[in-house]
């Protein structure tokens, strides 16, 4: 801005009169900024103001407001007025954006499941909508589309699941393990040694993802871990559970 002063001689008394017709010179701290959706907006601009009158300049927000609940661009217009009424308007832009990734519920990173089907689908939440994906042998697929065709994920394996919202924000990838098969327990018939005494029985558990083993003898729980032998007479009940709760 170039300051202008119009001078003329007062023809009545010969005094020189100055006319100020120039508005203040205003430099905002920014012309455009961003703020996160649903967070309080506090980053209002500051201004460097100069005026040729060296008098007080008033500042007023004359239009605009920021609605952080809605994605979009918002303009704020400020007016700076000097003591004789000259003014300068300055407009800045505030963009409300979504940079937060969706959140996933219904599954836990590193957990084991016996299946994921159309009745038990993990879900993603994002205010602006999100789509879930799964990495399979066929590539990266939309989870709902994959389940629509396959009905359920029941093939033993490790899968990656994540979500992406409409603005491209991606959640962390969650690793899940699918194991639809129950553990197997092999128990050999009891055999006698050369002296006629029965040998202890050692159950063989076939399970890669073993979680818990519970054994009762004649209805009472006994301590037992994989590799132990059954040495006492009686009725044993063994329950073996894997990490997928089979």
């Amino acid at each position: 801005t170039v300051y202008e002063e119009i001078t003329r001689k007062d023809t009545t008394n010969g005094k020189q009169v100055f006319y100020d017709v120039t508005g203040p010179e205003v430099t905002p701290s920014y012309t455009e900024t961003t703020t996160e959706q649903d967070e309080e907006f506090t980053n209002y601009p500051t201004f460097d103001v100069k005026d040729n009158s060296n008098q007080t300049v008033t500042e007023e927000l004359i239009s605009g407001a920021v609605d952080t609940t809605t994605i979009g661009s918002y303009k704020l217009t400020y007016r700076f007025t000097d003591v004789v009424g000259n003014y300068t308007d300055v407009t800045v832009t505030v963009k409300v954006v979504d940079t937060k990734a969706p959140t996933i519920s219904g599954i836990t990173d590193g957990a084991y499941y016996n299946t994921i089907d159309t009745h038990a689908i993990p879900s993603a939440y994002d205010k602006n909508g999100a789509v879930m994906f799964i990495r399979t042998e066929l590539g990266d697929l939309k989870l709902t589309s994959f389940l629509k065709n396959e009905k359920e994920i029941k093939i033993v394996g490790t899968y990656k699941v994540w979500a992406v919202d409409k603005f491209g924000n991606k959640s962390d990838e969650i690793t899940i393990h699918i194991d639809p098969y129950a553990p197997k327990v092999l128990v050999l018939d009891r055999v006698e040694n050369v002296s006629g005494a029965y040998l202890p029985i050692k159950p063989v558990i076939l399970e890669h993802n073993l979680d818990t083993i519970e054994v009762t003898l004649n209805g009472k729980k006994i301590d037992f871990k994989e590799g132990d032998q059954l040495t006492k007479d009686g009725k044993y009940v063994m329950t073996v559970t894997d990490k997928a709760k089979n």
Side-chain angles (χ1 to χ4, degrees), residues 85-117:
N86 300 311
Y87 64 83
T88 300
D89 290 343
V90 176
T91 299
V92 299
T93 300
V94 178
K95 292 185 175 181
V96 177
V97 298
D98 174 12
T99 63
K100 294 182 178 179
T103 57
I104 296 178
S105 60
I107 54 176
T108 302
D109 189 42
Y112 288 76
Y113 300 92
N114 51 30
T115 184
I116 290 181
D117 57 36

Side-chain angles (χ1 to χ4, degrees), residues 69-175:
T69 64
T70 305
I71 299 290
S73 294
Y74 299 86
K75 294 186 181 298
L76 304 175
T77 299
Y78 295 82
R79 176 165 291 179
F80 298 84
T81 307
D82 65 17
V83 292
V84 297
N86 300 311
Y87 64 83
T88 300
D89 290 343
V90 176
T91 299
V92 299
T93 300
V94 178
K95 292 185 175 181
V96 177
V97 298
D98 174 12
T99 63
K100 294 182 178 179
T103 57
I104 296 178
S105 60
I107 54 176
T108 302
D109 189 42
Y112 288 76
Y113 300 92
N114 51 30
T115 184
I116 290 181
D117 57 36
T118 53
H119 302 291
I121 305 175
S123 60
Y125 172 77
D126 189 274
K127 182 175 182 179
N128 299 302
V131 177
M132 296 195 69
F133 293 87
I134 185 168
R135 181 163 297 137
T136 73
E137 293 180 352
L138 302 175
D140 295 347
L141 306 173
K142 288 184 179 180
L143 181 60
T144 52
S145 297
F146 177 72
L147 289 175
K148 183 177 180 180
N149 293 324
E150 298 295 328
K151 304 302 181 186
E152 61 182 351
I153 305 173
K154 57 183 179 180
I155 299 176
V156 175
T158 298
Y159 299 84
K160 299 281 189 180
V161 177
W162 67 95
V164 180
D165 69 16
K166 65 183 293 187
F167 297 106
N169 300 308
K170 178 184 175 182
S171 71
D172 292 336
E173 294 184 357
I174 294 180
T175 300

